[in-house]
Amino acid sequence: MKRYFSPSTRDALANAKEEALLTGGTKISIAHLVLGLARSVEEQCGQLLAQKGLDQTFVREHARIGPSIVTTGPLVLSREGEELLKDSAFGAFLHSQRVIQPIHVLLTLLKSPRDPILHEHFLRVGLSYDAALVEFHKMDPTLASSYRGWLATGFFSEVIRVTQLNKLMAWT
């Protein structure tokens, strides 16, 4: 699955691993992924989190398990983190992109919250799925039309398939 990540998403995952080690974690959790995304300030996702005033100290304390860990071994994703990245792949597909960008990970997290404390914090700073999607489309307006166009095409194709409308239209 690694080949489907953009270089900036790979950097965010590396940052998430560092955050996990700093907070004493042996698995990369949702909070670590958020911290990894927030550290990439040159990317849309990091800019959006900074603009909304994400409190990295709060998120870091929420993720804290114990003292920092030093290890050269690999860290694994938590089950929730793995599900988030898999769902982000589908989000990238909906936005007609071949690779997962950091913003897809954030949008997926906001659309289906997996961590209630982080979700509450996002709402407190005014960051919701709809607000993030609007900002995302402002940063790259070409994606808004392709996403809506794909959804409309997919929706009507499914309606025709389910109702077998094509057979009815062929008969007349």
PDB file of all heavy atoms in Angstrom, residues 153-169:
ATOM      1  N   THR A 153     -22.043  10.720 -11.818  1.00  0.00           N
ATOM      2  CA  THR A 153     -21.990   9.621 -12.787  1.00  0.00           C
ATOM      3  C   THR A 153     -22.199   8.282 -12.097  1.00  0.00           C
ATOM      4  O   THR A 153     -22.980   7.448 -12.544  1.00  0.00           O
ATOM      5  CB  THR A 153     -20.633   9.626 -13.522  1.00  0.00           C
ATOM      6  OG1 THR A 153     -20.448  10.898 -14.129  1.00  0.00           O
ATOM      7  CG2 THR A 153     -20.564   8.531 -14.558  1.00  0.00           C
ATOM      8  N   GLY A 154     -21.513   8.087 -10.979  1.00  0.00           N
ATOM      9  CA  GLY A 154     -21.648   6.839 -10.235  1.00  0.00           C
ATOM     10  C   GLY A 154     -23.045   6.636  -9.700  1.00  0.00           C
ATOM     11  O   GLY A 154     -23.602   5.537  -9.751  1.00  0.00           O
ATOM     12  N   PHE A 155     -23.644   7.713  -9.215  1.00  0.00           N
ATOM     13  CA  PHE A 155     -24.994   7.619  -8.660  1.00  0.00           C
ATOM     14  C   PHE A 155     -26.000   7.220  -9.732  1.00  0.00           C
ATOM     15  O   PHE A 155     -26.783   6.291  -9.555  1.00  0.00           O
ATOM     16  CB  PHE A 155     -25.391   8.954  -8.022  1.00  0.00           C
ATOM     17  CG  PHE A 155     -26.821   8.991  -7.557  1.00  0.00           C
ATOM     18  CD1 PHE A 155     -27.201   8.319  -6.404  1.00  0.00           C
ATOM     19  CD2 PHE A 155     -27.775   9.693  -8.272  1.00  0.00           C
ATOM     20  CE1 PHE A 155     -28.517   8.346  -5.982  1.00  0.00           C
ATOM     21  CE2 PHE A 155     -29.084   9.723  -7.856  1.00  0.00           C
ATOM     22  CZ  PHE A 155     -29.464   9.052  -6.704  1.00  0.00           C
ATOM     23  N   PHE A 156     -25.967   7.920 -10.860  1.00  0.00           N
ATOM     24  CA  PHE A 156     -26.939   7.616 -11.910  1.00  0.00           C
ATOM     25  C   PHE A 156     -26.689   6.262 -12.558  1.00  0.00           C
ATOM     26  O   PHE A 156     -27.628   5.567 -12.926  1.00  0.00           O
ATOM     27  CB  PHE A 156     -26.990   8.742 -12.944  1.00  0.00           C
ATOM     28  CG  PHE A 156     -27.678   9.961 -12.399  1.00  0.00           C
ATOM     29  CD1 PHE A 156     -26.972  11.134 -12.207  1.00  0.00           C
ATOM     30  CD2 PHE A 156     -29.012   9.925 -12.044  1.00  0.00           C
ATOM     31  CE1 PHE A 156     -27.601  12.248 -11.677  1.00  0.00           C
ATOM     32  CE2 PHE A 156     -29.643  11.031 -11.513  1.00  0.00           C
ATOM     33  CZ  PHE A 156     -28.939  12.204 -11.326  1.00  0.00           C
ATOM     34  N   SER A 157     -25.447   5.851 -12.651  1.00  0.00           N
ATOM     35  CA  SER A 157     -25.160   4.508 -13.162  1.00  0.00           C
ATOM     36  C   SER A 157     -25.748   3.455 -12.239  1.00  0.00           C
ATOM     37  O   SER A 157     -26.316   2.455 -12.690  1.00  0.00           O
ATOM     38  CB  SER A 157     -23.652   4.281 -13.288  1.00  0.00           C
ATOM     39  OG  SER A 157     -23.108   5.156 -14.230  1.00  0.00           O
ATOM     40  N   GLU A 158     -25.620   3.686 -10.938  1.00  0.00           N
ATOM     41  CA  GLU A 158     -26.170   2.738  -9.967  1.00  0.00           C
ATOM     42  C   GLU A 158     -27.704   2.726 -10.023  1.00  0.00           C
ATOM     43  O   GLU A 158     -28.325   1.664  -9.954  1.00  0.00           O
ATOM     44  CB  GLU A 158     -25.686   3.099  -8.556  1.00  0.00           C
ATOM     45  CG  GLU A 158     -26.105   2.121  -7.488  1.00  0.00           C
ATOM     46  CD  GLU A 158     -25.486   0.742  -7.643  1.00  0.00           C
ATOM     47  OE1 GLU A 158     -24.553   0.556  -8.430  1.00  0.00           O
ATOM     48  OE2 GLU A 158     -25.977  -0.175  -6.959  1.00  0.00           O
ATOM     49  N   VAL A 159     -28.315   3.893 -10.170  1.00  0.00           N
ATOM     50  CA  VAL A 159     -29.785   3.961 -10.281  1.00  0.00           C
ATOM     51  C   VAL A 159     -30.248   3.185 -11.502  1.00  0.00           C
ATOM     52  O   VAL A 159     -31.202   2.399 -11.437  1.00  0.00           O
ATOM     53  CB  VAL A 159     -30.272   5.430 -10.343  1.00  0.00           C
ATOM     54  CG1 VAL A 159     -31.728   5.509 -10.765  1.00  0.00           C
ATOM     55  CG2 VAL A 159     -30.067   6.095  -9.002  1.00  0.00           C
ATOM     56  N   ILE A 160     -29.588   3.369 -12.616  1.00  0.00           N
ATOM     57  CA  ILE A 160     -29.974   2.662 -13.848  1.00  0.00           C
ATOM     58  C   ILE A 160     -29.778   1.156 -13.672  1.00  0.00           C
ATOM     59  O   ILE A 160     -30.629   0.363 -14.058  1.00  0.00           O
ATOM     60  CB  ILE A 160     -29.158   3.202 -15.053  1.00  0.00           C
ATOM     61  CG1 ILE A 160     -29.653   4.603 -15.400  1.00  0.00           C
ATOM     62  CG2 ILE A 160     -29.272   2.258 -16.252  1.00  0.00           C
ATOM     63  CD1 ILE A 160     -28.812   5.310 -16.431  1.00  0.00           C
ATOM     64  N   ARG A 161     -28.687   0.770 -13.012  1.00  0.00           N
ATOM     65  CA  ARG A 161     -28.437  -0.658 -12.809  1.00  0.00           C
ATOM     66  C   ARG A 161     -29.491  -1.282 -11.906  1.00  0.00           C
ATOM     67  O   ARG A 161     -30.049  -2.331 -12.211  1.00  0.00           O
ATOM     68  CB  ARG A 161     -27.058  -0.882 -12.209  1.00  0.00           C
ATOM     69  CG  ARG A 161     -26.670  -2.357 -12.117  1.00  0.00           C
ATOM     70  CD  ARG A 161     -25.369  -2.550 -11.369  1.00  0.00           C
ATOM     71  NE  ARG A 161     -25.475  -2.246  -9.956  1.00  0.00           N
ATOM     72  CZ  ARG A 161     -26.051  -3.049  -9.044  1.00  0.00           C
ATOM     73  NH1 ARG A 161     -26.605  -4.166  -9.415  1.00  0.00           N
ATOM     74  NH2 ARG A 161     -26.090  -2.694  -7.776  1.00  0.00           N
ATOM     75  N   VAL A 162     -29.806  -0.628 -10.804  1.00  0.00           N
ATOM     76  CA  VAL A 162     -30.738  -1.179  -9.831  1.00  0.00           C
ATOM     77  C   VAL A 162     -32.163  -1.230 -10.390  1.00  0.00           C
ATOM     78  O   VAL A 162     -32.869  -2.212 -10.233  1.00  0.00           O
ATOM     79  CB  VAL A 162     -30.688  -0.379  -8.507  1.00  0.00           C
ATOM     80  CG1 VAL A 162     -31.819  -0.762  -7.582  1.00  0.00           C
ATOM     81  CG2 VAL A 162     -29.352  -0.598  -7.826  1.00  0.00           C
ATOM     82  N   THR A 163     -32.563  -0.170 -11.043  1.00  0.00           N
ATOM     83  CA  THR A 163     -33.940  -0.129 -11.550  1.00  0.00           C
ATOM     84  C   THR A 163     -34.085  -0.795 -12.910  1.00  0.00           C
ATOM     85  O   THR A 163     -35.192  -0.936 -13.408  1.00  0.00           O
ATOM     86  CB  THR A 163     -34.421   1.326 -11.684  1.00  0.00           C
ATOM     87  OG1 THR A 163     -33.577   2.008 -12.607  1.00  0.00           O
ATOM     88  CG2 THR A 163     -34.429   2.027 -10.343  1.00  0.00           C
ATOM     89  N   GLN A 164     -32.970  -1.198 -13.500  1.00  0.00           N
ATOM     90  CA  GLN A 164     -32.949  -1.807 -14.828  1.00  0.00           C
ATOM     91  C   GLN A 164     -33.646  -0.893 -15.850  1.00  0.00           C
ATOM     92  O   GLN A 164     -34.356  -1.338 -16.731  1.00  0.00           O
ATOM     93  CB  GLN A 164     -33.584  -3.191 -14.790  1.00  0.00           C
ATOM     94  CG  GLN A 164     -32.812  -4.125 -13.892  1.00  0.00           C
ATOM     95  CD  GLN A 164     -33.396  -5.520 -13.863  1.00  0.00           C
ATOM     96  OE1 GLN A 164     -34.485  -5.768 -14.335  1.00  0.00           O
ATOM     97  NE2 GLN A 164     -32.630  -6.438 -13.303  1.00  0.00           N
ATOM     98  N   LEU A 165     -33.420   0.402 -15.670  1.00  0.00           N
ATOM     99  CA  LEU A 165     -34.016   1.402 -16.538  1.00  0.00           C
ATOM    100  C   LEU A 165     -33.517   1.269 -17.972  1.00  0.00           C
ATOM    101  O   LEU A 165     -34.248   1.550 -18.909  1.00  0.00           O
ATOM    102  CB  LEU A 165     -33.691   2.805 -15.979  1.00  0.00           C
ATOM    103  CG  LEU A 165     -34.509   3.970 -16.472  1.00  0.00           C
ATOM    104  CD1 LEU A 165     -35.982   3.741 -16.185  1.00  0.00           C
ATOM    105  CD2 LEU A 165     -34.052   5.244 -15.803  1.00  0.00           C
ATOM    106  N   ASN A 166     -32.295   0.786 -18.135  1.00  0.00           N
ATOM    107  CA  ASN A 166     -31.762   0.650 -19.494  1.00  0.00           C
ATOM    108  C   ASN A 166     -32.565  -0.359 -20.311  1.00  0.00           C
ATOM    109  O   ASN A 166     -32.772  -0.186 -21.495  1.00  0.00           O
ATOM    110  CB  ASN A 166     -30.277   0.309 -19.467  1.00  0.00           C
ATOM    111  CG  ASN A 166     -29.977  -0.961 -18.682  1.00  0.00           C
ATOM    112  OD1 ASN A 166     -30.839  -1.454 -17.953  1.00  0.00           O
ATOM    113  ND2 ASN A 166     -28.770  -1.435 -18.785  1.00  0.00           N
ATOM    114  N   LYS A 167     -33.067  -1.437 -19.670  1.00  0.00           N
ATOM    115  CA  LYS A 167     -33.897  -2.401 -20.385  1.00  0.00           C
ATOM    116  C   LYS A 167     -35.227  -1.775 -20.769  1.00  0.00           C
ATOM    117  O   LYS A 167     -35.754  -1.999 -21.846  1.00  0.00           O
ATOM    118  CB  LYS A 167     -34.138  -3.630 -19.514  1.00  0.00           C
ATOM    119  CG  LYS A 167     -32.895  -4.475 -19.314  1.00  0.00           C
ATOM    120  CD  LYS A 167     -33.201  -5.676 -18.434  1.00  0.00           C
ATOM    121  CE  LYS A 167     -31.909  -6.446 -18.148  1.00  0.00           C
ATOM    122  NZ  LYS A 167     -32.150  -7.531 -17.219  1.00  0.00           N
ATOM    123  N   LEU A 168     -35.760  -0.960 -19.871  1.00  0.00           N
ATOM    124  CA  LEU A 168     -37.029  -0.295 -20.146  1.00  0.00           C
ATOM    125  C   LEU A 168     -36.890   0.681 -21.297  1.00  0.00           C
ATOM    126  O   LEU A 168     -37.745   0.753 -22.175  1.00  0.00           O
ATOM    127  CB  LEU A 168     -37.508   0.441 -18.883  1.00  0.00           C
ATOM    128  CG  LEU A 168     -38.826   1.199 -18.990  1.00  0.00           C
ATOM    129  CD1 LEU A 168     -39.975   0.210 -19.234  1.00  0.00           C
ATOM    130  CD2 LEU A 168     -39.079   1.999 -17.746  1.00  0.00           C
ATOM    131  N   MET A 169     -35.765   1.431 -21.310  1.00  0.00           N
ATOM    132  CA  MET A 169     -35.566   2.424 -22.364  1.00  0.00           C
ATOM    133  C   MET A 169     -35.319   1.732 -23.697  1.00  0.00           C
ATOM    134  O   MET A 169     -35.731   2.220 -24.747  1.00  0.00           O
ATOM    135  CB  MET A 169     -34.400   3.351 -22.014  1.00  0.00           C
ATOM    136  CG  MET A 169     -34.736   4.267 -20.864  1.00  0.00           C
ATOM    137  SD  MET A 169     -33.553   5.578 -20.536  1.00  0.00           S
ATOM    138  CE  MET A 169     -32.014   4.747 -20.410  1.00  0.00           C
TER     139      MET A 169
END
